[in-house]
Amino acid sequence: MPSNFIYAKVKRKHDLFRVIACDDNVYDMSVISLTGPEYDPATLIEEEEFYKISDFSASGFLLESLSEPLNSVDYNQISRDDLKKLSFICTVQDDLSLFQVISTGYYVSKKWFSIDELTLETDKPIITINPIPDAIYDRANDILYFKKLTIVNRIFKGMDQLYREATDVETQAFLESDFLEVVEDFTKEKVAVLNRKRIALVKETFNRFTDDEKQAIYEYTNQYGQVAYMNGKFKIETDEDLKFVLWGIEQRFYTTPIGGEKRIANSVISITPS
Amino acid sequence: MLIPIVLTAISFLIARTLPTDSLNKASVREIELANNNFLPSYLGYFFVSLSVNNNSTLIVVFVIIYVFTFLSQTLYFNPIFLLFGYQFYFFKTNKNIKIFLITKKLLKSPGDEDFNNLKRINNYTFIELN
C-alpha cells in the first residue's frame, strides 16, 4: 500500500501533477532535523538547521493545494513532455510535504550506467532527489521550514518580499541621508547586494527612531570606531564602511561583560518574548 | 459469450500493474451510484446492432461506433464488471473534481472509507482491485 506520492509543478501550469507513488519513504527523516529559528534575515542558520515560519497559511504564500491533505486522484498523471519542464517536485510523506526545486541543471543529460545493470544509458535523463529537501511544509502544525529564501521563493512565489534588496532609488536615498558623508567616487552602483538587503531592512526601523534615538545610534556606532565620524556624519568610502554603519543601526556591536572584548554579532536571534 | 468475460478477467490482472493512487475519506464530498448509467448508451448500440442485416454495414457501423467510443470515452465503463461484483460510482472530491471509481465496496454516504490502493486507468477513472 503506497503511502508516499511525488507530485510536480510544471512551469506555466497552475495545478500540480502526480508523478509517482512509492511504498518506501523518499526522505530519511532521521537525517532531517526540523529545528531552527523563526525566519529573520538577521539570523544565520547552522548547516543542518532550517528557518521556520509558523502559521504559514496565514502568510498567504501557501499553495492552495497544500491547505488540505493531497489526494492523488485529484491530480492528472504528468506527461513525458511536462516532465522536462518541472519547476519543483513535492513529496508527500506522512503529514509533511517536502519540496525540491528543479532547475535545468538537475536533468542529468550525461551518460550514465546503473551499477546493477552495466549498460550505458545515453538519452535517458534522470532526476535525482537530494537527501535534504529545499523546503518542508508541516501541515499539522502549519510550519514552513526552509534553508534559503531565494530558493523557497521559487516554490512559494512572492516570498522574497520578506527580505528584498533595496532598489536603486532607495539605495541612493539612503546614501544621501544627512548622517552620511559619502565620498564622490562611492556611488550607488558600488553598493553590493548584501548591503542593499541590509538597507531595505534597516530603512523602516531607522525611520521609526526619534531624533534622540538616532543620535544615540550614531554615538553607539562611533564607540566601536569602525568608521570615521566627524561633525555628525559617517565618512563612507567603501562598501565595507557602509556595512559597519548599517550594522550600527541594527545594533550589532556589543562588548562582552567580562573581559570587555568588542564584538560584532553576524547573526542575531531575539530572545525578548514578543 | 464467454470471450468477453475471459477478456475482462484478464483485464483485472493487467490492471494490477497500473499506477497506484489514494483518496482520503475526509476528502470525499459526494458519492453517486452510477451502475445504471451505461444502460441508455448500451441499449443504443444494442438496437443498432439488431437492425444491421449485412456484413458490410456491420463493419462500417462497428468501426464508426468503435472509433468514436474509443476517442470520446473518458469513463471506462464495462458492464461485465458488474458480473464480477464491481460497482460504479461517481465521486466528488473536496477540490470539486468528479472522478469515476470502480470498486466492490457498497457505498452510500461520503466519508466511510479510505481508498489507499486505487489503480489509475486514466485521469478520471480509478479502480479498486481486491
Side-chain angles (χ1 to χ4, degrees), chain A residues 178-179 181 229-234:
Chain A
D178 50 12
F179 63 97
E181 187 187 334
Y229 184 64
M230 294 237 303
N231 309 327
K233 282 172 189 268
F234 290 100

Side-chain angles (χ1 to χ4, degrees), chain A residues 158-170:
Chain A
M159 259 187 76
D160 57 353
Q161 288 166 11
L162 292 174
Y163 187 25
R164 58 184 186 87
E165 288 172 32
T167 59
D168 273 355
V169 179
E170 286 168 325

Side-chain angles (χ1 to χ4, degrees), chain A residues 4-23:
Chain A
N4 304 308
F5 286 91
I6 299 182
Y7 298 90
K9 168 79 173 61
V10 177
K11 282 175 193 141
R12 286 184 291 277
K13 293 199 178 175
H14 178 257
D15 225 352
L16 296 173
F17 285 91
R18 172 196 185 280
V19 185
I20 32 179
C22 35
D23 298 324

